[in-house]
């Protein structure tokens, strides 16, 4: 079994990227945890957090800094339709991701049936390192895992690209 690299802080992981950081999301519901307040506000009245809000205070500057170095930050989401309330929330806040420099696409799950996809969400950094985002059955975040195993890297690279090629750019995806 390949040696497991030490657990990295997410900020260090993104700072290590030189070419791309690819993120594949596969769940329809995530336990909202620190998002509870803004998620509840969205459910109540459709409001979304401002770019300069506490909600975005760490993420948007990190993405902006990463993209400014010439790194592509791509996010693909595989979603069931009709979408869940959580996916409606994610769709509503994605404009902030785009303004920070991410590219985001959506793939209806019914179009992913013939794709080989891993069992967990992941970040793939420069086709070298995979960070598995592991969740409990009810969507709670568990400890992430990291690997440089070439077969895991290959699986994630192929899975991401196959989803990306079929997915719809955010500006064109309607829910």
């Amino acid at each position: 079994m390949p040696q497991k690299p030490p657990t990295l802080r997410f900020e260090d992981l993104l700072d290590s990227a030189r070419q791309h950081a690819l993120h594949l999301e596969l769940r329809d519901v995530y336990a909202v945890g620190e998002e509870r307040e803004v998620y509840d506000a969205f459910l109540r009245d459709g409001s979304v957090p401002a770019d300069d809000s506490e909600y975005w205070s760490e993420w948007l500057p990190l993405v902006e800094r990463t993209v400014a170095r010439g790194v592509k930050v791509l996010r693909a989401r595989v979603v069931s339709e009709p979408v869940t309330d959580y996916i409606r929330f994610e769709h509503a806040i994605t404009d902030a991701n785009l303004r920070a420099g991410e590219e985001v696409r959506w793939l209806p799950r019914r179009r992913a049936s013939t794709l080989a996809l891993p069992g967990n969400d992941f970040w793939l950094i420069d086709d070298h390192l995979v960070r598995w985002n592991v969740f409990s059955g009810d969507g709670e975040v568990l400890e992430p895992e990291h690997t440089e195993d070439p077969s895991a890297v290959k699986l994630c690279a192929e899975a991401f690209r196959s989803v990306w090629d079929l997915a719809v750019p955010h500006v064109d995806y309607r829910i």
Side-chain angles (χ1 to χ4, degrees), residues 3 11 14 34 60 63 75 94 128-129 139 155 169:
Q3 185 176 0
E11 183 176 337
L14 223 52
E34 70 278 354
L60 296 181
V63 171
R75 180 186 305 260
T94 296
H128 173 71
L129 176 74
L155 169 68

Side-chain angles (χ1 to χ4, degrees), residues 67-85:
V67 170
R69 292 194 331 269
V71 175
K72 286 189 171 285
V73 180
L74 308 180
R75 180 186 305 260
R77 294 175 169 141
V78 178
V79 296
S80 300
E81 293 178 320
V83 300
T84 63
D85 284 343

Side-chain angles (χ1 to χ4, degrees), residues 7-173:
T7 300
L8 301 169
R9 289 182 328 128
F10 188 77
E11 183 176 337
D12 294 337
L13 183 70
L14 223 52
D15 283 343
S16 75
R18 297 294 169 246
Q19 298 170 348
H20 60 254
L22 310 177
H23 185 37
L24 183 62
E25 297 178 10
L26 301 166
R27 297 180 60 93
D28 288 317
V29 177
Y30 294 85
V32 293
E34 70 278 354
E35 298 174 333
R36 174 56 58 195
E37 188 175 318
V38 294
Y39 180 63
D40 287 347
F42 172 78
L43 292 177
R44 194 171 42 256
D45 60 20
S47 62
V48 296
D51 288 10
D52 61 354
S53 68
E54 183 179 340
Y55 177 81
W56 289 115
S57 65
E58 293 180 23
W59 182 251
L60 296 181
L62 176 59
V63 171
E64 290 167 347
R65 182 173 78 228
T66 302
V67 170
R69 292 194 331 269
V71 175
K72 286 189 171 285
V73 180
L74 308 180
R75 180 186 305 260
R77 294 175 169 141
V78 178
V79 296
S80 300
E81 293 178 320
V83 300
T84 63
D85 284 343
Y86 188 84
I87 296 300
R88 283 189 321 103
F89 167 69
E90 276 192 328
H91 189 269
I93 65 173
T94 296
D95 285 341
N97 297 80
L98 300 177
R99 286 189 295 273
E102 281 188 61
E103 294 178 48
V104 180
R105 292 187 183 181
W106 303 81
L107 181 64
R109 191 171 310 280
R110 71 182 181 279
R111 295 184 57 209
S113 296
T114 61
L115 303 181
L117 301 175
N120 292 295
D121 291 11
F122 65 83
W123 281 90
L124 176 60
I125 305 299
D126 294 336
D127 292 336
H128 173 71
L129 176 74
V130 176
R131 173 192 168 110
W132 300 111
N133 288 347
V134 183
F135 297 90
S136 66
D138 61 359
E140 292 292 332
V141 176
L142 302 176
E143 187 69 28
E145 299 173 6
H146 298 84
T147 185
E148 295 175 341
D149 176 44
S151 62
V153 168
K154 181 180 180 198
L155 169 68
C156 291
E158 290 173 355
F160 186 88
R161 286 179 181 90
S162 66
V163 168
W164 191 258
D165 289 346
L166 290 174
V168 178
H170 175 73
V171 296
D172 297 325
Y173 184 68

